[in-house]
Amino acid sequence: VMEVDKSDGKGTVRVVLQSCGSAKLLLDNKDEWGTISKGCVIYLGFLKGANKAAVEKAVQTLLNAKLFMPPGQGIGTGGNSVAVNDAQQESKNKPTSIKEFPARFDIMIVPQASLGGTLRGKSVQYHSNVAKEDGKELYDYFVETIKNTVADRETTVLGGTYGNRQGYGLDTEGPHTYFFDLP
């Protein structure tokens, strides 16, 4: 059981979010794959001080951030991209959030402890990460919180297995990738 963190929820949830046309994730470390349709992939790591309060804030921030264009208004492949660029934010075509997206929008969540790595000389060190057991608990809580929050929508939420090899395939919607450190 994760120890209570008294850092008032200011631990960092590190996120890389990428729009996609479709994606697949190896679920069992062998041959069972899960798939999503158009939506996004969230790569997720937890730095020291992260706790369930930080996870809840991160989920709300990610689901409410206006990062995606409605169908037919995006950039990239045939105007179908879900990502938004700066020029579009200024235009009459307003970006929308995952929670407000007017069509199906799937979410794949991939645990990525490597996001907490720091390059020291020629080696990567992971001293900033939470303990592995805490990372698993926070990851499972993140996935469950996302699922509960979008339960009333037509949305597939696919989570990987913390600690497993994360084999995946991705059909991108252009180079629309966002990096966030969320407190």
Side-chain angles (χ1 to χ4, degrees):
V1 173
M2 191 170 88
E3 291 183 28
V4 174
D5 181 347
K6 308 239 192 279
S7 67
D8 68 9
K10 294 192 179 186
T12 299
V13 178
R14 184 160 284 169
V15 175
V16 173
L17 184 145
Q18 184 171 18
S19 63
C20 70
S22 65
K24 65 181 183 175
L25 180 64
L26 183 63
L27 300 175
D28 65 355
N29 228 9
K30 294 178 187 171
D31 56 9
E32 180 188 350
W33 292 85
T35 61
I36 65 167
S37 299
K38 186 178 292 287
C40 71
V41 177
I42 299 172
Y43 304 94
L44 190 62
F46 303 99
L47 304 186
K48 287 183 179 170
N51 57 30
K52 289 184 177 181
V55 167
E56 291 168 4
K57 288 179 187 178
V59 165
Q60 289 308 312
T61 299
L62 290 171
L63 293 179
N64 289 300
K66 296 187 181 290
L67 301 172
F68 304 98
M69 293 303 291
Q73 297 179 18
I75 55 178
T77 57
N80 294 320
S81 173
V82 295
V84 62
N85 67 15
D86 290 337
Q88 287 172 315
Q89 286 183 342
E90 306 291 338
S91 75
K92 63 180 176 155
N93 297 327
K94 299 289 184 194
T96 189
S97 67
I98 293 171
K99 280 179 87 171
E100 298 170 342
F101 203 75
R104 180 180 187 94
F105 192 93
D106 292 342
I107 304 167
M108 184 169 85
I109 307 166
V110 181
Q112 287 285 304
S114 63
L115 291 175
T118 303
L119 188 60
R120 300 262 196 255
K122 296 179 182 179
S123 300
V124 178
Q125 296 179 353
Y126 298 96
H127 301 300
S128 297
N129 284 349
V130 298
K132 185 176 180 178
E133 302 78 30
D134 294 345
K136 179 183 180 343
E137 187 174 334
L138 291 169
Y139 175 77
D140 291 343
Y141 186 66
F142 185 96
V143 172
E144 196 59 35
T145 303
I146 291 269
K147 285 180 178 180
N148 291 338
T149 306
V150 299
D152 61 336
R153 297 186 41 84
E154 183 184 353
T155 299
T156 296
V157 178
L158 179 64
T161 304
Y162 196 89
N164 273 4
R165 179 176 66 93
Q166 297 300 316
Y168 70 95
L170 180 66
D171 172 26
T172 66
E173 292 284 324
H176 307 293
T177 305
Y178 302 95
F179 172 85
F180 302 111
D181 275 339
L182 302 172

